[in-house]
Amino acid sequence: MAADRMLALLPTAAILLDGEDNVRMANVAAISMGIVRGQQLDVTALTQLVRSVRRTGDAQTVEFVIDQGGFPRRALSVGARAQPLDDGEVALVVDDLTESKRVDAVRRDFVANVGHEIKTPVGALTLLAEAALEARDDPDAVHHFLSRMQREANRLSRLVQELLDLSRLQGGETPPASGDVSVDAVVDEAVDRGRLVAEVKQIEIVRGGDSGCLVVGSENQLVTAVSNLLDNAVAYSPERTEVAVGVHRRGDMVEIAVKDQGIGIDAVDQERIFERFYRVDPARSRDTGGTGLGLAIVKHIVSNHRGQITVWSQPGAGSTFTLRLPASTTAPGAPSPTDGHPRTEASPA
Ligand code: ADP
């Protein structure tokens, strides 16, 4: 009985079959994986494995995919090991490998993407260096090639920095620091960082909403998140438009919204822009010095702070990215008396 209880705890499916392929024992995982129905195995490949093991007398391990049907179609990648026992009995264990296979695939894609992203500026640097060498007697041409080299080198260093940021942020499930952070200070700093680029395009960054809000976490990371959103708002907006940053206390959450009047994002792309290296228009993103990692970084920062990020956008009309973060419970984070919101709204639930 103790053994049964222990088997029930395992994520691995464990099944014992008699000499006629009847299931004598199956743990919870075997039932929930859907490989046992009543007294029978419900997967042909497993029945074949059991019979083969019984015939040869040797243990065998196989990996295969179980099509579970449904819409969208679900497939379970499994690794199964069967061991012959006495009197034709066979012990069978089956592991669900779906998630680890998916993670492997994501990792492989990521490494391939990083390679590709680094190759582009490095290739450009090589070509530009050759061109500069060939043009060494023409100072204007040398200057031209060197300044383009500088741009490529900057892009490379930004890419490397963002990759390091991303690897540091991944896997951090708890807020990176437990101190209270002033949202005003976060927005101040992010706006300050974005102002120069905005000025070049004559884009005005305006601020509004509640002041005095506090959240828990890392000021540095939150500045990076808001800064990335502001950089995008400016990068994907035409000249002489407006970018607005609004802070609002809503119940026990604080919202920071970055709104632009830019090119907007199609509904199909909205689902994918938070993926690493996904860009709607790669050429445009590269022109603006984008790495395709900005929003992936924002997503990780927000999830480390137990928050959410949402996007509203319409092509041609603009986009609004909204960060929702839990308000600090150690301080009420009261809105200032000038913002017109009822005091009760600011109290934590
Ligand atoms: P990038 O470095 O390319 O800007 P991000 O991860 O920050 O990478 O953004 C991914 C993609 O999402 C961008 O390439 C762009 O196509 C789209 N995008 C992000 N923010 C905006 C925005 N405010 N307006 C329009 N498109 C945007």
Side-chain angles (χ1 to χ4, degrees):
M1 277 305 107
D4 279 356
R5 282 204 208 145
M6 214 171 76
L7 285 175
L9 290 176
L10 289 179
T12 300
I15 302 156
L16 180 67
L17 297 120
D18 68 14
E20 271 78 49
D21 291 345
N22 295 311
V23 172
R24 296 262 311 279
M25 196 254 9
N27 69 348
V28 181
I31 313 293
S32 60
M33 261 187 227
I35 55 183
V36 169
R37 183 175 301 207
Q39 295 300 105
Q40 301 297 316
L41 283 176
D42 203 22
V43 178
T44 315
L46 287 177
T47 310
Q48 284 167 353
L49 171 69
V50 167
R51 288 181 185 163
S52 158
V53 159
R54 196 181 286 123
R55 208 173 42 246
T56 61
D58 293 325
Q60 284 177 41
T61 304
V62 289
E63 277 191 20
F64 60 95
V65 174
I66 301 174
D67 184 352
Q68 293 187 310
F71 185 82
R73 234 181 159 74
R74 277 173 299 132
L76 204 65
S77 283
V78 296
R81 181 165 175 80
Q83 168 88 42
L85 305 173
D86 297 335
D87 303 329
E89 282 189 332
V90 174
L92 178 66
V93 287
V94 184
D95 281 305
D96 180 355
L97 306 176
T98 316
E99 182 58 16
S100 74
K101 294 233 178 237
R102 192 191 65 78
V103 171
D104 279 352
V106 168
R107 242 179 233 149
R108 270 199 310 276
D109 280 359
F110 182 61
V111 172
N113 278 332
V114 170
H116 178 77
E117 295 292 332
I118 288 179
K119 204 171 147 197
T120 313
V122 168
L125 278 172
T126 313
L127 291 175
L128 288 166
E130 277 168 17
L133 275 174
E134 266 170 35
R136 60 185 161 273
D137 300 327
D138 178 352
D140 286 347
V142 170
H143 184 264
H144 169 73
F145 291 130
L146 287 183
S147 60
R148 285 190 52 195
M149 283 176 81
Q150 195 175 32
R151 236 179 57 199
E152 295 298 333
N154 283 342
R155 182 200 297 183
L156 199 57
S157 91
R158 187 163 159 196
L159 177 66
V160 171
Q161 186 54 51
E162 293 196 347
L163 282 169
L164 291 173
D165 286 350
L166 203 56
S167 82
R168 207 165 25 81
L169 290 165
Q170 276 168 349
E173 276 139 22
T174 47
S178 50
D180 280 347
V181 176
S182 150
V183 175
D184 295 337
V186 167
V187 175
D188 281 348
E189 176 64 24
V191 169
D192 220 47
R193 286 190 198 174
R195 189 159 275 136
L196 214 66
V197 184
E199 271 169 11
V200 174
K201 289 178 83 175
Q202 296 175 53
I203 290 176
E204 196 186 348
I205 304 179
V206 296
R207 306 198 27 191
D210 301 336
S211 54
C213 295
L214 297 176
V215 293
V216 179
S218 149
E219 176 164 334
N220 238 334
Q221 287 190 15
L222 292 173
V223 170
T224 302
V226 177
S227 209
N228 285 0
L229 295 181
L230 272 174
D231 285 352
N232 282 346
V234 171
Y236 301 104
S237 289
E239 292 186 354
R240 283 183 283 280
T241 50
E242 197 176 89
V243 168
V245 192
V247 175
H248 293 281
R249 171 90 195 215
R250 302 212 191 279
D252 51 9
M253 302 296 276
V254 176
E255 281 183 7
I256 308 172
V258 177
K259 184 172 180 222
D260 66 53
Q261 302 167 325
I263 57 173
I265 308 159
D266 246 314
V268 191
D269 293 312
Q270 285 174 31
E271 291 174 15
R272 303 206 50 196
I273 49 175
F274 295 96
E275 293 171 20
R276 296 173 294 198
F277 297 119
Y278 187 81
R279 299 149 166 136
V280 177
D281 177 352
R284 183 172 185 135
S285 159
R286 287 205 181 90
D287 275 352
T288 59
T291 58
L293 293 174
L295 289 179
I297 289 175
V298 176
K299 194 181 83 177
H300 279 288
I301 292 176
V302 171
S303 94
N304 286 358
H305 283 77
R306 300 207 172 89
Q308 296 162 343
I309 171 133
T310 51
V311 56
W312 174 92
S313 188
Q314 213 165 10
S319 315
T320 302
F321 286 83
T322 307
L323 302 178
R324 277 190 195 82
L325 301 164
S328 163
T329 48
T330 55
S336 74
T338 51
D339 68 26
H341 281 264
R343 179 72 182 81
T344 47
E345 201 192 321
S347 305

